[in-house]
Amino acid sequence: MHTALPQTRDLVFVGGGHAHALVLRMWGMNPVPGVRLTVIDPQPAAPYTGMLPGHIAGHYSRKDLDIDLVRLARFAGARLILGRATRMDLAGKIVHVHGYGAVPYDVASVDVGITSDMPALEGFAKNGVPAKPLGRYSLDWAAFLGRGGGDVAVIGGGLAGVELAMAMAHALDGRGKVSIIEKREALAGHSERQQHLLRAELARWKIEVLEGVDVARVAPDHVALADGRKVSALMTVGTAGARPHEWLAQTGLELHKGFIRVDGQLRTSDPSVFACGDCCHQDPSPRPKAGVFAVRAAPVLLNNLRAAVGVGKPRTFKPQKDFLKLVSLGDKRALADRNGRGFAGALMWRWKDHIDQKFMDMFRDLKPMAGPDVPRDVADGVLEELGGGKPLCGGCGAKVAAGPLRAALANITPTSHPDLVTGPGDDAAILKMGEITQVLTTDHLRAFWEDPKLFARITTIHALGDIFAMGAAPQTALVNLTLPRMSPRLQERRLAEVMEGITGALAECGAALAGGHTTLGAELSIGLTLTGLLDGPARIKAGAQDGDALILTRPLGSGVIMAAEMQLAADGRDVAALLNRQVEPRMAEAEALRGVNALTDVTGFGLGGHLGEMLEASGLGAELTLANVPAYAGARELLAAGQKSSLHDLNRTAAPIDGLIPPEAEILYDPQTAGGFLAAVPQSDVAALMDALVEAGAEPAVIGRCVAGPPRITLA
């Protein structure tokens, strides 16, 4: 967070549209203390639609036009909920998110854009693709080109349809014909000069324009028209009649033809809800659906949201009557038009590209948060411990390293107790009480993600790993929770979020929350003490045999990805993919591992450290095949670029790896949060176990084998 002042208000952004993206950037540069900002969007990146035709034509990669919402949210100090809003409860001030639940707000803003889907058109849902939202269109188009292309039909002869038709014609390069189908007159409402120039460009690309016709249905290989004609099309793209998202009708807000009504201050019929961009209709001065208005409205929206949470006074948005239209012409040429005067050519493309790149650079050049202020005079070693000013990692990256921990444990004099079978050294303590054998473990993480609910779920799944590693069935949990300072009303909300994350993960494996303790502090952290019941002998680190295969059930790299995300250096899509893996329960893969010779979960000490513990307990060495060690997307690239977790270097020092260690081995020292299991398995059981792990949802890999010798690791 940007400040230690108490939180008192929840401001929620529904959608990552252009206006919200600009407001997030401005908010990050000057946040309002006391406000928790939340962004809800189904994707980790929001495309800049101004560059969409250039992307379809092949001039830009998908990444070139994506605004990374993960990076932007981190810059703004906001939490990002990756989900799709489905409705709003205005009375309860709640946004409902599919697959996530209720998100309360004090002030909300909606900027979700529009869709060009055509649910009423027969066959379109199965055989067509809407141009907006662009995610599916981009993927389907790339796959279509990969198959060699073919004929394409564009339903909709407005400016968007014409622009995309020319882009697709350029990309196809003669490998298919492009047709435009429009029920009225193509380019209706545009100036005569603009129409003349664009129709000339369509003719240059040999694009057929069918006007004044209705579409009856969309088939896999053609579009059937109402007059009986068929338009050949192996791909059909919908651009006609950009529509509001249907869920807006469930908000209770006043609408105009499905679009949210807003006044001059961008406020809706509910005074605590604002809206901006293509999803709204501004009553005082209606304007066409164009991104330029969202961009111009962003500073006013920011000002009025600040006023709504108690800072300053609202302003009125007065959109311009006309604006410069820059239209891509397929190849690297463009048409510039304003007030009916148009000019086309390569110079106009360079101008458009310059404007687009300048806009995107605002989101590419985000600077990471500053490290702690350091006095001029500090004791020896302080600067080294601060790690060059980087913030301390969350998750397992913030844990005490293996060296200091082992030294401290070595000084503890073991004490006997009739119920204690084993104490420190394995994944959990084993207690024997009559006929009952119980395991006991504890874990504690400081937050690495701004969403308390998601972080609580990941923390619980992470802590349960020790119970599963011992072969026990989870039983009960106690929670030790520290919340940042906030008002009582927000304390209630945050506690509800955390409890929902914890209890949901516990319930999935048959465990129950038995109680706990809460306090206020500097930051969010969650600790869990867990018990589990054994119905047989415990699975421990000792027991690996010479020749056993070493199987890892999940990729490595969570530590470096989370560390880089804090520094705005990770790709948001890689972060989202990691989070999606971390929230998945591990009970099924743990059950598949019953009967292995030795087992542990890979957490803070990294694969090198935890494998070292298994080898020491078993009195064996290991040969590891680096090429077989799986990693999350982006992890190795981040390590090669110098990104690493706070615990990384100490893990390297502690890991018992012999010989010449190549740079690719850095992944072995990366601390893992909610990581996989490491098992020593007889070679005869490997094939069946790998199948069982895949069936359980794991991503298993045979990464090496145990060998006779001292407890050291050699790399192959």
Side-chain angles (χ1 to χ4, degrees), residues 22-49:
L22 287 165
V23 171
L24 283 168
R25 184 180 183 276
M26 293 184 284
W27 186 280
M29 298 169 69
N30 185 24
V32 178
V35 174
R36 179 175 74 160
L37 180 56
T38 297
V39 184
I40 301 169
D41 197 274
Q43 300 297 329
Y48 170 48
T49 54

Side-chain angles (χ1 to χ4, degrees), residues 58-183:
H59 308 316
Y60 304 119
S61 71
R62 174 60 196 272
K63 191 172 182 180
D64 288 335
L65 65 153
D66 273 348
I67 298 171
D68 192 325
L69 292 180
V70 175
R71 293 181 70 241
L72 190 55
R74 172 64 71 176
F75 177 77
R79 70 165 170 168
L80 175 62
I81 296 174
L82 294 171
R84 188 180 302 279
T86 56
R87 63 186 178 92
M88 293 179 71
D89 175 0
L90 300 182
K93 290 192 171 184
I94 292 172
V95 179
H96 292 273
V97 181
H98 178 71
Y100 183 91
V103 180
Y105 65 87
D106 297 295
V107 177
S109 180
V110 183
D111 182 14
V112 294
I114 52 181
T115 177
S116 52
D117 197 5
M118 301 177 181
L121 177 57
E122 182 183 348
F124 186 83
K126 181 179 180 180
N127 302 310
V129 57
K132 290 184 178 182
L134 106 82
R136 180 187 161 197
Y137 177 32
S138 175
L139 291 173
D140 284 4
W141 178 244
F144 182 71
L145 291 178
R147 294 192 299 269
D151 291 346
V152 175
V154 178
I155 301 176
L159 197 59
V162 166
E163 199 172 16
L164 289 175
M166 290 187 288
M168 290 188 285
H170 176 276
L172 286 169
D173 192 23
R175 292 177 292 165
K177 177 184 175 182
V178 179
S179 303
I180 294 175
I181 306 169
E182 171 56 50
K183 67 186 301 181

Side-chain angles (χ1 to χ4, degrees), residues 8 109 182 200 215 258 312 323 397 493 502 533 584 604 647 649-650 702:
T8 60
S109 180
E182 171 56 50
V215 175
F323 60 96
R493 290 178 182 174
I502 292 173
L533 295 175
E584 292 177 358
L647 197 55
D649 289 342
L650 291 172
V702 179

Side-chain angles (χ1 to χ4, degrees), residues 193-265:
R193 172 68 174 166
Q194 190 179 36
Q195 288 197 44
H196 173 74
L197 290 172
L198 288 175
R199 285 183 181 275
E201 292 296 327
L202 291 170
R204 182 171 72 90
W205 287 111
K206 299 180 181 178
I207 295 173
E208 181 182 16
V209 182
L210 296 91
E211 300 174 90
V213 294
D214 287 317
V215 175
R217 61 186 177 87
V218 178
D221 61 352
H222 69 273
V223 175
L225 304 181
D227 60 13
R229 287 181 291 171
K230 293 182 179 180
V231 179
S232 175
L234 292 177
M235 183 171 185
T236 300
V237 179
T239 68
R243 303 183 304 105
H245 292 279
E246 292 183 359
W247 74 268
L248 295 180
Q250 310 301 318
T251 60
L253 299 169
E254 290 184 9
L255 306 178
H256 172 79
K257 297 181 179 179
F259 297 95
I260 302 172
R261 286 183 180 270
V262 296
D263 61 16
Q265 296 177 0

Side-chain angles (χ1 to χ4, degrees), residues 564-628:
E565 190 275 326
M566 293 180 68
Q567 292 294 299
L568 307 180
D571 187 307
R573 286 162 292 205
D574 294 340
V575 176
L578 169 64
L579 293 172
N580 286 338
R581 201 73 179 101
Q582 288 178 310
V583 299
E584 292 177 358
R586 297 188 288 176
M587 187 173 183
E589 65 190 79
E591 184 64 27
L593 291 164
R594 284 188 177 275
V596 301
N597 287 337
L599 186 70
T600 188
D601 61 338
V602 180
T603 56
F605 300 157
L607 177 63
H610 287 289
L611 175 56
E613 289 181 334
M614 179 184 289
L615 297 176
E616 185 173 352
S618 301
L620 292 170
E623 293 176 351
L624 212 60
T625 305
L626 265 180
N628 291 354

Side-chain angles (χ1 to χ4, degrees), residues 223-451:
V223 175
L225 304 181
D227 60 13
R229 287 181 291 171
K230 293 182 179 180
V231 179
S232 175
L234 292 177
M235 183 171 185
T236 300
V237 179
T239 68
R243 303 183 304 105
H245 292 279
E246 292 183 359
W247 74 268
L248 295 180
Q250 310 301 318
T251 60
L253 299 169
E254 290 184 9
L255 306 178
H256 172 79
K257 297 181 179 179
F259 297 95
I260 302 172
R261 286 183 180 270
V262 296
D263 61 16
Q265 296 177 0
L266 304 175
R267 197 184 297 265
T268 70
S269 57
D270 185 309
S272 62
V273 180
F274 294 75
C276 197
D278 289 350
C279 67
C280 71
H281 171 84
Q282 189 170 357
D283 272 332
S285 48
R287 292 292 186 270
K289 304 301 179 187
V292 65
F293 297 116
V295 172
R296 298 287 178 86
V300 178
L301 178 63
L302 171 65
N303 178 87
N304 295 351
L305 290 173
R306 290 172 64 93
V309 296
V311 180
K313 296 181 179 180
R315 291 167 44 196
T316 298
F317 175 52
K318 299 177 180 178
Q320 70 271 37
K321 292 183 179 179
D322 195 17
F323 60 96
L324 175 67
K325 305 175 187 69
L326 288 164
V327 184
S328 298
L329 300 176
D331 48 9
K332 290 189 175 181
R333 297 165 63 254
L335 166 67
D337 178 88
R338 185 163 189 173
N339 296 322
R341 293 190 294 178
F343 305 91
L347 181 61
M348 298 300 102
W349 165 266
R350 290 195 291 271
W351 187 12
K352 182 182 189 308
D353 180 63
H354 171 75
I355 293 172
D356 289 338
Q357 298 294 353
K358 184 178 179 180
F359 177 81
M360 289 300 296
D361 283 344
M362 290 192 293
F363 306 104
R364 295 167 180 156
D365 298 336
L366 303 175
K367 304 300 180 186
M369 68 182 79
D373 293 331
V374 181
R376 184 185 65 181
D377 300 321
V378 295
D380 290 343
V382 169
L383 296 179
E384 289 80 0
E385 288 302 316
L386 287 175
K390 291 183 178 181
L392 179 66
C393 287
C396 267
K399 293 200 170 184
V400 174
L405 183 59
R406 287 170 183 160
L409 291 175
N411 294 323
I412 296 177
T413 302
T415 56
S416 61
H417 189 282
D419 295 338
L420 182 62
V421 179
T422 64
D426 223 297
D427 290 307
I430 302 175
L431 303 172
K432 185 74 172 178
M433 295 166 286
E435 298 299 317
I436 297 174
T437 305
Q438 188 180 54
V439 297
L440 174 68
T441 186
T442 187
D443 216 321
H444 196 111
L445 300 180
R446 65 187 295 267
F448 57 85
W449 189 247
E450 291 289 341
D451 183 0

